[in-house]
Amino acid sequence: MKFLHTLRFQVTILLMIAMIGISIISVASHITYQTIKEMTSEELQPSVVFRHTSGEQKDPKEESALRNAIAEELFNAQKGVTPLWVILVIGGYVTLIFVCASFVAIVVGNMIARPLSILGRAIDSVDPRDVIPMLKEDGIYEDRETIKLINKLSEKVKLAMESRMRLVAAAGHDLRTPLTRMRLRCEFIEDDKQRSIWMRDVDELTNIANDAITLVKEEVNPEGKAKLRLDDIVKETVQDLQIIGHDIKLVRSVPCEVFGKALSLKRALSNLMVNAATHGLGAQVAILVEQDQAVILIVDNGPGIPANMIDRAFEPFFRANIARQKHSAGAGLGLAIVKEIITAHSGTVTLANRSSKGLIQRVTLPLAG
Ligand SMILES: Nc1ncnc2c1ncn2[C@@H]1O[C@H](COP(=O)(O)OP(=O)(O)OP(=O)(O)O)[C@@H](O)[C@H]1O
Ligand SMILES: [Mg+2]
């Protein structure tokens, strides 16, 4: 029923109604004109009919009565009986009108709605990095103009995104120099407690700057996608994090291949596993295959994320428990970066609280064909 609400359908129906209306009016007026013409023509005048049917002269009274009787007879004959050919002609007219009106309405309706179809196709072809691909400028004048406008918009969006990226990268980069100076000054604070508080704040700011730069690198990373063994990437990530002391276990692994960038995927998975190991107090990791997807599950036994906040977890700088996390050095950008990377790989990442305790982080990626 969605089709009934499309512009194409509504324009087609309106055109059909308008054309059928105009055709019926013109045919009706033609028929009316013909009928009036015939009724008023000489042949139907009673006196003439009489003259034609009778050869000889009669008494004027008798002649008048006969003339009226014949005229009445003719009139009744015309009024009461509709000959078959008249029905067929009218039926033929109506069918012809309907077919022609439908044909013209469908063609014109489609032509009017074409620019919208082009726009729809352009939006459908937006890739996971939100870039509208350049469209080939062909077709009729209106099509070319629509395509030109879409290409112009796509170019502007691309430039705006690049400038935003440059700004983020520049800010992240420029922050690192004063932060290094601050860290050096912190070393000279004599009071141990004060020094560690200052150090933690400096660490947090450094992480934010580093994550901002990482995010930009992900977006402009020239590393091309290749066929990868995802189970190997997961295994390596787990091992790297175990070496630096995180409590993470790989409990299940099924061999599978995906198309992607190894470094980016490793960074995304590492962010999720570190979250489970730190916020979730220990992680269990499994990689499996479901239909045409590779699925990575990262499960922990921590506090989870309050249900009313879980939808916002992928927003930059999100913190589930600001009071509890005040002293942790996380920037709150980890999940935002994960989302960027996984979406750019045409995958999904979701979080859900477990019924018992803890969080399940689920990543899906399409299997390489
Ligand atoms: N497994 C988890 N269990 C409980 N809370 C979590 C879990 N994962 C994420 N969170 C919550 O979501 C917030 C956002 O996570 P995110 O990874 O984006 O930032 P972060 O870990 O605080 O900092 P960083 O930028 O260093 O990763 C965390 O601060 C935490 O409150
Ligand atoms: Mg994190």
Side-chain angles (χ1 to χ4, degrees):
M1 285 302 118
K2 212 173 136 196
F3 181 68
L4 297 182
H5 299 286
T6 57
L7 177 72
R8 178 179 289 138
F9 180 76
Q10 288 173 3
V11 168
T12 307
I13 291 295
L14 278 178
L15 271 170
M16 255 170 82
I17 293 172
M19 289 182 62
I20 290 172
I22 293 170
S23 309
I24 286 176
I25 290 169
S26 51
V27 168
S29 33
H30 177 75
I31 290 173
T32 313
Y33 169 75
Q34 284 294 332
T35 313
I36 291 170
K37 203 172 142 199
E38 277 171 26
M39 293 280 282
T40 53
S41 73
E42 246 195 329
E43 271 75 17
L44 287 181
Q45 292 303 314
S47 58
V48 178
V49 172
F50 177 76
R51 219 181 303 127
H52 281 294
T53 48
S54 150
E56 45 189 90
Q57 284 286 36
K58 295 248 163 76
D59 168 28
K61 260 189 183 173
E62 204 183 316
E63 182 186 315
S64 160
L66 195 56
R67 197 164 52 198
N68 286 340
I70 291 174
E72 205 175 320
E73 200 65 22
L74 270 173
F75 179 73
N76 286 340
Q78 276 195 347
K79 194 173 71 174
V81 189
T82 314
L84 183 65
W85 68 266
V86 175
I87 297 172
L88 286 179
V89 167
I90 291 176
Y93 260 128
V94 171
T95 316
L96 194 68
I97 289 169
F98 190 78
V99 171
C100 290
S102 311
F103 177 75
V104 175
I106 289 170
V107 171
V108 177
N110 272 312
M111 279 167 77
I112 292 175
R114 254 174 88 113
L116 283 180
S117 308
I118 295 174
L119 193 62
R121 263 186 283 128
I123 291 168
D124 280 346
S125 60
V126 170
D127 67 17
R129 303 187 90 86
D130 298 334
V131 177
I132 308 172
M134 286 288 165
L135 303 174
K136 204 170 147 220
E137 289 177 23
D138 56 8
I140 57 171
Y141 175 76
E142 280 76 11
D143 289 359
R144 289 200 308 275
E145 285 304 299
T146 311
I147 294 171
K148 242 184 231 168
L149 288 175
I150 293 172
N151 284 345
K152 221 178 192 174
L153 174 73
S154 157
E155 193 59 39
K156 281 192 175 167
V157 170
K158 212 167 134 217
L159 286 177
M161 276 166 66
E162 280 170 9
S163 114
R164 185 198 65 175
M165 282 295 137
R166 272 198 298 275
L167 195 76
V168 175
H173 182 265
D174 291 356
L175 269 175
R176 287 208 291 205
T177 319
L179 282 171
T180 315
R181 283 201 302 268
M182 279 168 80
R183 179 184 292 278
L184 282 174
R185 285 195 199 112
C186 284
E187 307 277 352
F188 294 106
I189 297 174
E190 277 171 14
D191 182 346
D192 285 353
K193 199 172 160 218
Q194 282 298 318
R195 189 174 57 244
S196 77
I197 292 172
W198 275 97
M199 278 295 208
R200 217 175 286 133
D201 282 349
V202 172
D203 280 348
E204 184 172 349
L205 284 171
T206 311
N207 278 337
I208 293 177
N210 287 340
D211 281 349
I213 293 170
T214 307
L215 192 64
V216 176
K217 271 192 196 151
E218 289 310 328
E219 293 245 353
V220 293
N221 193 356
E223 181 199 359
K225 284 187 182 168
K227 217 179 207 185
L228 310 163
R229 277 285 296 266
L230 188 64
D231 53 315
D232 285 346
I233 291 179
V234 172
K235 206 183 290 167
E236 279 168 30
T237 314
V238 170
Q239 282 166 357
D240 291 350
L241 294 174
Q242 281 169 342
I243 290 170
I244 56 169
H246 285 298
D247 175 11
I248 301 173
K249 283 182 202 74
L250 182 61
V251 292
R252 190 169 164 198
S253 178
V254 173
C256 56
E257 285 186 326
V258 296
F259 262 111
K261 298 178 181 180
L263 270 180
S264 305
L265 286 176
K266 226 170 163 180
R267 190 168 292 137
L269 294 173
S270 161
N271 277 349
L272 295 176
M273 289 180 202
V274 170
N275 276 358
T278 53
H279 307 299
L281 318 168
Q284 295 207 324
V285 180
I287 170 160
L288 24 132
V289 170
E290 276 176 14
Q291 286 154 4
D292 52 355
Q293 288 184 326
V295 180
I296 301 160
L297 296 172
I298 300 164
V299 183
D300 64 62
N301 291 310
I305 298 179
N308 59 341
M309 293 184 166
I310 204 159
D311 290 342
R312 292 175 26 227
F314 293 102
E315 289 174 11
F317 307 113
F318 169 80
R319 294 290 191 73
N321 189 335
I322 293 168
R324 183 160 49 84
Q325 293 178 247
K326 207 161 62 184
H327 301 302
S328 85
L333 283 173
L335 286 177
I337 293 173
V338 172
K339 183 94 181 172
E340 282 286 329
I341 297 173
I342 301 299
T343 311
H345 281 80
S346 309
T348 62
V349 49
T350 50
L351 306 180
N353 285 310
R354 297 173 69 193
S355 52
S356 49
K357 197 167 173 262
L359 197 73
I360 302 181
Q361 306 181 84
R362 186 174 199 269
V363 176
T364 66
L365 289 165
L367 289 173

